[in-house]
């Protein structure tokens, strides 16, 4: 019955423009508590903060921007959405973001989404409640809650690292297709004709673009794509280890002589597993990664990889967002591509077998 009453109240409130008193009534707190939660959420206990933000969402309440000294530069805080903070790729991206925001007087909130719709919804509520002046999306999609997304917050958005199709806000990325093709072309030029591919999750646009680059390089060299040489992965060390075990289970004559991994973590996991089983890298198997994380220069052997301008991606995206927040630039750059490079190290050489 209580939930039914809540539902009735919510429907009644949504029939008119919601006021802060409506939020307070639905959350069971005072108007002052709602104001404090929206102005300084860190001083409100989590249980109360959760109730207030849920009431903000349920009522559709939007703070009166003009009455609160305009939206621009109000909080001096930017929210940065990261798919997985444990991924070492994002460390330098975040450093580039932080350096640029700090120089302009902004702080940041890191939203570690970790694949959780509930966490994502809470961060959407936070932004819609007026707690950030802009959002940097490193997660490959526009964050959403069950009944709205970030566009409803009316704040500037900029994406980086993962391209989000069909969006009009600025996006800062590299050309994944061309750089993946360059990585595989390097293996072809060394003389490899049996080249495996260790993939990311197939729904991820980075995976789709890097797989396309792999296929294009093979096609350019007159090598047919062999579906049995495309190994499943998800950008983690763990799936690199699993792929290594898959290769070791093949008869030596059937193993590929080279492998291109869609990211460095998987490449390093595969190398570790292969070497532990007695396979020589690169004599028995040449390996190329993608990203240029710090570990690539310290694993054994050091990893040939595509080095992304990680700090530059973060700094450029942050600068674009600052321009939107401060100037309201009418025509922001829509699609910004930064250069990446193939770094040759010790994990690749010509195949031991010829012909």
């Amino acid at each position: 019955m209580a939930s039914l009453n809540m539902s009735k109240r919510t429907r009644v409130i949504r029939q008119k423009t919601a006021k802060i008193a409506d939020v307070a009534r639905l959350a069971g707190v005072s108007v002052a508590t709602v104001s404090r939660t929206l102005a300084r959420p860190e001083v409100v206990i989590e249980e109360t903060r959760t109730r207030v933000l849920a009431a903000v969402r349920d009522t559709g309440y939007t703070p009166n921007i003009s009455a609160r000294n305009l939206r621009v530069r109000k909080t001096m805080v930017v929210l940065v959405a990261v798919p997985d903070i444990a991924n070492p790729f994002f460390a330098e991206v975040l450093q580039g973001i932080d350096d640029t925001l700090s120089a302009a007087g902004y702080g940041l909130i890191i939203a570690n989404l970790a694949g959780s719709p509930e966490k994502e919804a809470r961060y959407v509520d936070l932004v819609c409640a007026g707690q950030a002046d802009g959002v940097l999306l490193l997660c490959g999609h526009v964050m959403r809650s069950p009944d709205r997304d970030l566009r409803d917050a009316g704040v500037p958005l900029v994406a980086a690292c993962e391209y989000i199709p069909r969006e009009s806000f600025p996006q800062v990325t590299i050309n994944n297709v061309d750089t993946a093709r360059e990585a595989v072309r390097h293996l072809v030029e060394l003389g490899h004709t049996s080249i495996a591919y260790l993939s990311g999750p197939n729904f991820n646009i980075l995976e789709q673009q890097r797989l396309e680059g792999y296929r294009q390089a093979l096609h350019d060299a007159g090598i047919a794509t062999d579906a049995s040489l495309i190994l499943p992965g998800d950008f983690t060390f763990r799936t690199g280890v699993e792929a290594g075990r898959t290769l070791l289970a093949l008869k030596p004559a059937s193993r590929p002589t080279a492998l291109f991994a869609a990211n460095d973590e998987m490449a390093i996991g595969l190398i570790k597993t292969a070497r532990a089983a007695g396979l020589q890298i690169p004599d028995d198997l040449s390996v190329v990664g993608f990203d240029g994380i710090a570990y690539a220069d310290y694993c054994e052997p050091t990893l040939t990889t595509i080095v992304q301008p990680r700090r530059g991606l973060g700094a450029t995206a942050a600068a674009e967002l600052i321009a939107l927040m401060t100037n309201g630039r009418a025509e922001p750059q829509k699609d910004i591509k930064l250069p990446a490079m193939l770094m040759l190290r010790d994990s690749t050489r010509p195949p031991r077998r010829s012909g």
Side-chain angles (χ1 to χ4, degrees), residues 227-248:
S228 68
L229 294 181
I230 298 178
L231 308 176
D234 65 2
F235 293 147
T236 64
F237 289 114
R238 176 183 57 80
T239 51
V241 169
E242 292 171 356
R245 291 171 179 161
T246 298
L247 290 182
L248 291 167

Side-chain angles (χ1 to χ4, degrees), residues 16-17 49 60 81 94 100 127 188 219 238 251 269:
K16 62 185 191 319
T17 302
R49 184 169 66 244
L94 288 170
T100 304
V127 178
V188 171
H219 180 268
R238 176 183 57 80
K251 294 180 179 179

Side-chain angles (χ1 to χ4, degrees), residues 78 80 89-104 106 108 135-138 158-161 170-174 308-325 329 333 336-338:
V78 166
V80 183
F89 169 79
F90 292 109
E92 282 197 62
V93 178
L94 288 170
Q95 188 166 358
I97 290 171
D98 185 48
D99 289 346
T100 304
L101 290 178
S102 295
Y106 287 87
L108 62 85
V135 178
L136 288 169
L137 297 166
L138 312 186
V158 173
C161 304
Q171 306 206 48
V172 184
T173 60
I174 67 165
Q308 293 202 58
R310 298 180 301 283
R311 195 172 301 194
L313 285 165
T316 303
E320 283 296 304
L321 186 64
I322 291 168
L324 289 174
M325 292 187 299
R329 191 164 62 202
Q333 297 185 64
I336 303 167
K337 288 285 192 291
L338 299 187

Side-chain angles (χ1 to χ4, degrees), residues 55-75:
V56 168
R57 180 183 66 245
D58 290 340
T59 60
Y61 173 70
T62 301
N64 187 325
I65 294 174
S66 61
R68 296 178 64 183
N69 298 322
L70 300 177
R71 183 130 223 15
V72 177
R73 298 176 66 89
K74 179 181 65 65
T75 68

